[in-house]
Amino acid sequence: QVQLVESGGGLVQAGGSLRLSCAASRSIIVINAMGWYRQAPGKQRELVATITNAGTTNYADSVRGRFTISRDNAKNTVYLQMNTLKPEDTAVYYCNAVKKYSDSSVGNYWGQGTQVTVSS
């Protein structure tokens, strides 16, 4: 099991920045991939950015060049630095962790979400 706790959301003006944090309950070195997803009202949850335990990153086209995902293995924490925020970035942001176990099962874990609101 992996528990995830997000923090860092809030209200910011367009063009501003926020940094989200996701603290895991266990070493993230053994977690295969972690990422951030978001869900705006009336829309489906969508991928924002992911990072593997090898450090490979992937971004949605809508955030590439503005957002940066990173990880601090010593703190068991993944971050999402969000710059040049736009009103369309407003959503609940969720942290995700995917872990493959030795019995070939896969655990898919979610945090409780943190609200990001960007005013125009």
Side-chain angles (χ1 to χ4, degrees), residues 2-4 6 37 45 94-97 108-112:
V2 180
Q3 282 77 48
L4 304 170
E6 302 105 332
Y37 291 72
R45 190 172 298 187
Y94 296 92
C95 182
N96 172 260
N108 192 22
Y109 306 98
W110 295 93
Q112 81 286 355

Side-chain angles (χ1 to χ4, degrees), residues 3-53:
Q3 282 77 48
L4 304 170
V5 178
E6 302 105 332
S7 61
L11 173 64
V12 64
Q13 288 187 331
S17 298
L18 282 175
R19 189 178 79 157
L20 305 183
S21 300
C22 173
S25 61
R26 62 182 301 175
S27 172
I28 63 174
I29 294 175
V30 299
I31 297 175
N32 298 85
M34 296 188 69
W36 290 94
Y37 291 72
R38 67 187 182 186
Q39 187 167 19
K43 295 187 177 181
Q44 290 188 331
R45 190 172 298 187
E46 63 177 4
L47 178 147
V48 176
T50 61
I51 185 167
T52 70
N53 55 7

Side-chain angles (χ1 to χ4, degrees), residues 4 6 17 33 55 59 68 71 73 82 84 89 97 100 103 112:
L4 304 170
E6 302 105 332
S17 298
Y59 295 92
T68 303
R71 55 194 292 155
N73 292 339
M82 305 185 294
T84 319
D89 294 318
K100 299 176 184 178
D103 65 356
Q112 81 286 355

